[in-house]
């Protein structure tokens, strides 16, 4: 599993659209707070591989390492537990 | 915009994985409660068109009409406002 603190540091790159709190800042960007970790890892990896495409996310995800993906998923999953 | 009550009725088909409350019942299924409506509409339409692929969702989405998509997005967006 990922490192929540490292994920929080990396999440500054995501915050303009998804919020550092995981709450969407743009209608087309999903909320991420409390999302299941497995889903977040799959979404990022699908954008990295090209299996899933989105103009912004395909570009952003290409900059991420395996560790970044794990850490970001751990961080956003940890937020806003309901 | 969609009809929340009609969306709730249709959501019985989604509830085994995403919950009638929009909270995931399986690690690989995302939470939907309070998700942005625009994102939910795009996700369902991308599964319908084949732009986005997932074994379960590609099958489920094919059964949906444009009205179903609008209603389901309205319903799940309406839940769990944070």
């Amino acid at each position: 599993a990922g490192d929540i603190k490292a994920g929080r540091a990396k999440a500054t790159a995501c915050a303009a659209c998804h919020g550092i709190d995981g709450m969407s800042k743009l209608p087309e960007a999903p909320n991420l707070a409390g999302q299941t970790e497995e889903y977040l890892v799959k979404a990022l990896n699908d954008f990295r591989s090209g299996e899933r495409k989105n103009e912004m996310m395909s570009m952003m995800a290409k900059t991420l390492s395996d560790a970044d993906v794990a850490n970001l998923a751990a961080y956003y999953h940890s937020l806003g537990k309901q």
Side-chain angles (χ1 to χ4, degrees), chain A:
Chain A
D3 178 316
I4 293 174
K5 285 189 181 174
R8 186 175 203 284
K10 192 74 190 176
T12 52
C14 319
C17 301
H18 295 288
I20 196 69
D21 59 355
M23 298 306 289
S24 170
K25 307 308 172 198
L26 296 172
E28 65 267 34
N31 298 325
L32 302 179
Q35 190 53 274
T36 65
E37 200 164 346
E38 184 169 326
Y39 178 79
L40 293 171
V41 168
K42 182 177 191 312
L44 286 172
N45 283 333
D46 284 353
F47 285 125
R48 288 169 84 199
S49 72
E51 164 72 20
R52 189 172 166 191
K53 294 180 203 306
N54 172 272
E55 191 176 9
M56 177 66 82
M57 285 305 301
S58 299
M59 186 171 61
M60 297 298 287
K62 281 194 183 68
T63 71
L64 303 176
S65 67
D66 288 346
D68 290 335
V69 167
N71 297 343
L72 285 167
Y75 173 63
Y76 277 115
H77 173 68
S78 76
L79 300 174
K81 290 291 178 60
Q82 296 183 4

